Amino acid sequence: RVCMNTKGSHYCFDLNITSIESLECDTFGQNEYCTIEENPSCSCCSGFVKENSVCVDIDECKASISNCDTNCHNTVGSYHCSCKPGYQLVNETTCLDVDECLVENGGCDGLCINAIGSHDCFPLNITTILSLECDAFGIHKYCSLEDKSSCSCCHGYTMNDSTCVDINECQESIAKCDTNCHNTEGSYHCSCNHGYQLVNQTMCLDIDECLSENGGCNNLCINT
């Protein structure tokens, strides 16, 4: 066995390289460990590298060795990670969003809406909920605050097996376009043929080209 002296005492340990490395690097906080043989050799502990025969700390953050998602903090022989406000550290390296609304409603008096890295408070009324979930956050449905299973589709969507899917207003003849209809996600828009202008988003009215620079004519311009 090996005898290791300490201040005011000593310890006896089994003689193997694993126990020596563990003792000198971990228990006694040394930067290197050495074999106890006729020709001893020394190696740097984990987190250190040899420079000019001396084991010095590796800055894992600068050396891009760390796996931190966001913030990396170097320590002697190691490093640790931290996250920005609104995130929590998972598995020592990964930063995940904190849903502040799950704890005391995020401190909100009314409606709490979680956002990535933050949250927002809004007055509690159905108009606000419709506006936020359907418009501001682009969600296809909104749900009752009292009964989360009671949900309705936002304007421009219809329920299909508990999922809100886009309504094709052009195919369903819901659109009021005079001429051309173009479906979009949750809505639609109209357009006119050449020679017409769009009025009130749906109507196509003839453009009197003769009113502008005589329609490009050298003589009489007649609108058709």
Side-chain angles (χ1 to χ4, degrees):
R1 303 183 78 187
V2 62
C3 176
M4 184 166 288
N5 183 60
T6 62
K7 289 184 178 181
S9 184
H10 72 286
Y11 292 95
C12 298
F13 301 97
D14 293 331
L15 185 59
N16 60 67
I17 190 63
T18 302
S19 63
I20 293 173
E21 179 182 358
S22 176
L23 285 170
E24 297 199 21
C25 294
D26 302 329
T27 305
F28 298 104
Q30 303 297 315
N31 296 350
E32 64 180 353
Y33 61 96
C34 305
T35 59
I36 306 174
E37 300 172 347
E38 291 184 3
N39 298 311
S41 62
C42 298
S43 301
C44 292
C45 298
S46 176
F48 295 87
V49 65
K50 187 156 289 189
E51 292 183 1
N52 298 323
S53 302
V54 178
C55 289
V56 296
D57 173 56
I58 297 173
D59 189 334
E60 291 85 356
C61 302
K62 288 185 178 180
S64 299
I65 298 173
S66 73
N67 295 317
C68 297
D69 264 5
T70 309
N71 303 318
C72 179
H73 310 274
N74 185 60
T75 60
V76 177
S78 187
Y79 68 94
H80 70 270
C81 308
S82 68
C83 302
K84 295 177 180 179
Y87 294 82
Q88 61 181 342
L89 191 65
V90 178
N91 297 330
E92 298 185 345
T93 59
T94 304
C95 291
L96 296 181
D97 172 58
V98 175
D99 189 345
E100 295 87 354
C101 297
L102 296 178
V103 180
E104 298 181 351
N105 198 39
C108 300
D109 292 329
L111 177 66
C112 178
I113 298 290
N114 184 58
I116 300 300
S118 183
H119 72 290
D120 295 293
C121 300
F122 299 93
L124 186 57
N125 58 67
I126 191 63
T127 302
T128 301
I129 296 171
L130 279 169
S131 176
L132 285 171
E133 297 201 15
C134 295
D135 302 329
F137 296 105
I139 301 172
H140 299 166
K141 64 181 178 180
Y142 59 95
C143 304
S144 168
L145 294 177
E146 291 77 21
D147 182 6
K148 292 296 184 182
S149 64
S150 176
C151 300
S152 301
C153 293
C154 297
H155 180 74
Y157 294 87
T158 185
M159 193 75 74
N160 184 359
D161 293 332
S162 74
T163 301
C164 290
V165 296
D166 174 56
I167 297 173
N168 189 328
E169 292 86 355
C170 302
Q171 290 183 356
E172 298 293 333
S173 300
I174 299 173
K176 298 179 180 180
C177 299
D178 268 3
T179 310
N180 304 315
C181 180
H182 309 274
N183 185 60
T184 60
E185 190 71 23
S187 187
Y188 70 95
H189 69 269
C190 307
S191 68
C192 301
N193 293 332
H194 182 71
Y196 293 82
Q197 61 181 343
L198 190 65
V199 179
N200 295 331
Q201 299 183 339
T202 60
M203 299 172 58
C204 289
L205 298 182
D206 174 57
I207 298 173
D208 189 345
E209 293 87 357
C210 296
L211 297 177
S212 177
E213 297 181 356
N214 198 41
C217 299
N218 293 326
N219 297 303
L220 178 63
C221 176
I222 296 178
N223 183 58
T224 59

